[in-house]
Amino acid sequence: MSSQVRLRLLPSDRCLYDEPIQVKVSHLRSRQVVTIKASSTDEKGVLFSSSATYRADGNGDIDLVRDASLSGSYVGVEPMGLLRTLKPNTLNTLFIKEKALEPHMVKFSVHDEEDQILAEVTNERLLMADGVSRVSVKEGSFHGVLFTPPGTGPFPAVLDLCTVMSERRAALLANKGFVVLTLSVFQEKLGNLKMLHLDPLEEAIIFLLQQPKVGSKRISIISNSKSADVALSLAAFVPGVEAVVWISGCSANTALPLFYKKRQILPALMFDTTKVIPTQSGAVIGKYAMHDPLKEENRASVVPIEQANAHFLFVAPEDDLCWDSYTYMMEMMERLQHLGKTNFESVCYPKAGHFLEPPYGPFCPSSLNMFLKKPVLWGGESRTHAAAEVDMWKKIQEFLKSHVSCDPVQTDAKL
């Protein structure tokens, strides 16, 4: 390793997961060509890696904010390209980084044309900011994880409703000043489930509103994929929901019949496995397998969001290959507009795929689908999808802050 070449991550080697960094290399030879590599091992032990070749300027410097990659995992100027293009050594693998207490560790290194390491540094990408608390919760019929910001509050409350349990998004929202309870819509093993119940989720809402630092009288819900239609149902049927962020979801209740107060409130919209399209990668396209919720025989599964006393943010990727979330979003907006309602806003992202997450994680083109039990293509063009995640993350925070207010008097009474 060269003692002169310097690799720096600015403003620091240590940052929050959703913060960009500036990668700079100095003390190279004038116009020297080097390869910058990144690697990270996920929570399942899978190695992800990326690389890009750069030419130093006349002073021997490279700045990824300014300079273009000549070849490798991406080409052109892209400051966070090495993180976006981290790829697994096996096909159809999702990067698993869901435990909030453990940072996302990424090793960056600079290599000469003989692949000798000239410099290296490790980026520690934290999910939890200093002072944020994490507590596992098991109350009544639900279990999840509660994240609370530092300080006395009051803070708005958010229910992070997951299709697959993850702490990542909840921890990152707690860093922004929200009390967040994250839990899966599946409170039992999916293979054992014949139906879904809203009652445990209602218990979770009540629990969240009773937290000492919570100052809002009602909660927001953030959701994606299958959990997005459950979030719509909570807003339509259960008291206490002020706002819903719906990401890459359906307008109907999918996969399992939905129950509340010991009665079925919505049947399930199902899918036709014969309409799944195979591809050469081994992953399938599921977009055209879902039954049409607007056909007469399926209309009973459509969630009656028009009866919800809540604000909605609909987020739809236009290249979703899992299901047709853009069409579902347009249907819901038209239905609300027809009734004269204005309690919604929307954003759609061309060339973005189904799997929209907080920014600066590896792009996932395909991975196992829990319902089809086989790998599926999620869609999206990697670079455009990554830009959509950055924009979406800002819009989500703005929406949540504008639609859930805090009542200091209520908080004082709790304390």
Side-chain angles (χ1 to χ4, degrees):
M1 188 182 300
S2 169
S3 59
Q4 289 187 326
V5 176
R6 189 178 181 196
L7 171 60
R8 289 180 295 157
L9 306 178
L10 303 175
S12 171
D13 298 353
R14 196 169 182 260
C15 65
L16 291 175
Y17 182 97
D18 58 348
E19 292 178 346
I21 53 170
Q22 184 176 11
V23 182
K24 298 185 80 171
V25 184
S26 57
H27 299 92
L28 294 166
R29 296 191 311 273
S30 176
R31 309 297 178 187
Q32 182 177 356
V33 174
V34 296
T35 298
I36 305 176
K37 298 183 180 182
S39 63
S40 182
T41 301
D42 77 355
E43 291 170 359
K44 297 285 189 179
V46 178
L47 177 66
F48 286 68
S49 57
S50 60
S51 66
T53 300
Y54 286 87
R55 185 186 301 277
D57 64 13
N59 296 320
D61 296 333
I62 296 171
D63 183 349
L64 267 61
V65 170
R66 174 196 68 192
D67 299 325
S69 166
L70 307 176
S71 63
S73 300
Y74 60 95
V75 174
V77 178
E78 193 174 352
M80 297 292 282
L82 286 166
L83 288 182
R84 170 183 66 82
T85 59
L86 283 166
K87 289 187 179 178
N89 50 21
T90 55
L91 279 175
N92 305 321
T93 302
L94 174 68
F95 185 87
I96 304 296
K97 180 72 207 81
E98 312 300 3
K99 297 175 183 175
L101 293 174
E102 301 171 6
H104 176 199
M105 308 294 287
V106 185
K107 185 176 82 171
F108 290 87
S109 54
V110 182
H111 300 247
D112 64 17
E113 291 181 283
E114 284 73 45
D115 203 30
Q116 297 295 311
I117 298 178
L118 304 178
E120 61 184 2
V121 66
T122 297
N123 183 203
E124 186 178 359
R125 305 186 65 78
L126 305 167
L127 272 73
M128 291 172 60
D130 291 343
V132 172
S133 73
R134 176 199 177 277
V135 178
S136 293
V137 176
K138 187 165 178 57
E139 294 274 339
S141 303
F142 78 91
H143 54 88
V145 180
L146 180 70
F147 293 91
T148 307
T152 57
F155 301 112
V158 175
L159 182 67
D160 183 2
L161 206 54
C162 304
T163 302
V164 178
M165 182 59 186
S166 168
E167 300 178 16
R168 179 173 22 172
R169 189 170 58 195
L172 293 173
L173 283 173
N175 300 338
K176 312 296 182 185
F178 299 95
V179 176
V180 189
L181 176 63
T182 182
L183 72 166
S184 170
V185 293
F186 307 114
Q187 290 289 295
E188 304 173 43
K189 286 186 178 180
L190 184 58
N192 300 331
L193 284 177
K194 301 274 192 279
M195 62 193 75
L196 271 184
H197 290 268
L198 289 183
D199 305 80
L201 305 180
E202 181 179 37
E203 289 180 36
I205 292 172
I206 295 168
F207 169 85
L208 185 52
L209 288 171
Q210 290 173 344
Q211 295 309 297
K213 289 187 180 182
V214 168
S216 49
K217 294 178 180 177
R218 299 201 290 165
I219 68 156
S220 290
I221 303 175
I222 184 168
S223 59
N224 66 303
S225 196
K226 165 58 191 171
S227 71
D229 66 65
V230 178
L232 297 179
S233 297
L234 283 169
F237 294 102
V238 177
V241 180
E242 181 77 23
V244 172
V245 179
W246 174 100
I247 307 167
S248 307
C250 186
S251 56
N253 174 60
T254 59
L256 293 164
L258 191 64
F259 282 69
Y260 180 50
K261 304 294 186 187
K262 297 183 179 179
R263 69 179 184 88
Q264 180 176 304
I265 54 174
L266 293 172
L269 181 71
M270 302 305 290
F271 49 86
D272 183 351
T273 54
T274 66
K275 293 183 179 179
V276 168
I277 302 171
T279 69
Q280 289 184 337
S281 70
V284 302
I285 296 173
K287 180 174 184 175
Y288 308 102
M290 290 298 296
H291 292 163
D292 183 354
L294 297 185
K295 284 191 174 179
E296 192 58 41
E297 63 268 27
N298 300 323
R299 279 187 174 273
S301 66
V302 173
V303 183
I305 57 170
E306 59 276 6
Q307 69 188 35
N309 181 23
H311 298 275
F312 296 99
L313 171 60
F314 301 124
V315 182
E318 292 187 20
D319 191 35
D320 189 342
L321 295 182
C322 180
W323 53 22
D324 198 356
S325 53
Y326 177 76
T327 297
Y328 300 145
M329 179 185 78
M330 295 306 295
E331 183 278 317
M332 289 190 291
M333 290 169 57
E334 288 169 10
R335 190 173 4 138
L336 292 173
Q337 286 171 335
H338 180 72
L339 294 170
K341 292 187 175 286
T342 58
N343 60 331
F344 65 92
E345 53 195 90
S346 67
V347 58
C348 59
Y349 293 108
K351 297 184 181 179
H354 180 81
F355 224 105
L356 286 168
E357 293 282 327
Y360 308 127
F363 173 71
C364 180
S366 60
S367 64
L368 184 70
N369 181 286
M370 63 196 305
F371 294 105
L372 293 175
K373 295 183 172 59
K374 60 180 68 176
V376 301
L377 290 178
W378 299 115
E381 186 279 317
S382 178
R383 186 167 183 164
T384 311
H385 182 97
E389 290 182 328
V390 173
D391 184 74
M392 178 190 74
W393 191 233
K394 292 176 184 175
K395 282 184 166 59
I396 286 172
Q397 293 171 57
E398 291 167 359
F399 175 80
L400 293 176
K401 287 174 182 175
S402 64
H403 288 293
V404 180
S405 58
C406 288
D407 180 359
V409 176
Q410 179 194 15
T411 302
D412 291 341
K414 287 182 182 179
L415 292 172

